[in-house]
Amino acid sequence: MQPKSKMGTYLSIGGSLFAVISVAKQLREAREKQDALQLTDAVISAAGIVTGVALLARQLRRLNRDENDVLSD
């Protein structure tokens, strides 16, 4: 589900920042416990966050481009 407005996109990116904090904590704990399964889960979660932010950044670029397009209705 992609946000349709700039504000929605910025809010989604902000939400992703909170997820980064959680994943960083999970990574730290997994390394301390030497838990390979938990470490794998954290790495996969981090990859999901990176992908999500990349999609949001692309949406933001499209919104900016459409906003600046003179012929856009």
Side-chain angles (χ1 to χ4, degrees), residues 41-66:
D41 181 48
V43 168
I44 291 170
S45 295
I49 292 169
V50 168
T51 303
V53 169
L55 289 169
L56 290 167
R58 181 175 69 183
Q59 179 68 22
L60 192 58
R61 281 193 308 271
R62 286 180 179 170
L63 288 171
N64 284 332
R65 184 183 64 220
D66 291 346

Side-chain angles (χ1 to χ4, degrees), residues 2-22:
Q2 291 290 336
K4 298 294 181 184
S5 69
K6 279 187 174 182
M7 183 58 69
T9 304
Y10 286 125
L11 287 172
S12 295
I13 291 171
S16 296
L17 293 177
F18 285 108
V20 167
I21 294 168
S22 175

Side-chain angles (χ1 to χ4, degrees), residues 26-45:
Q26 186 180 5
L27 281 166
R28 187 177 348 103
E29 290 176 1
R31 275 188 261 136
E32 287 173 0
K33 295 178 183 177
Q34 296 180 348
D35 185 339
L37 185 57
Q38 188 176 5
L39 184 61
T40 302
D41 181 48
V43 168
I44 291 170
S45 295

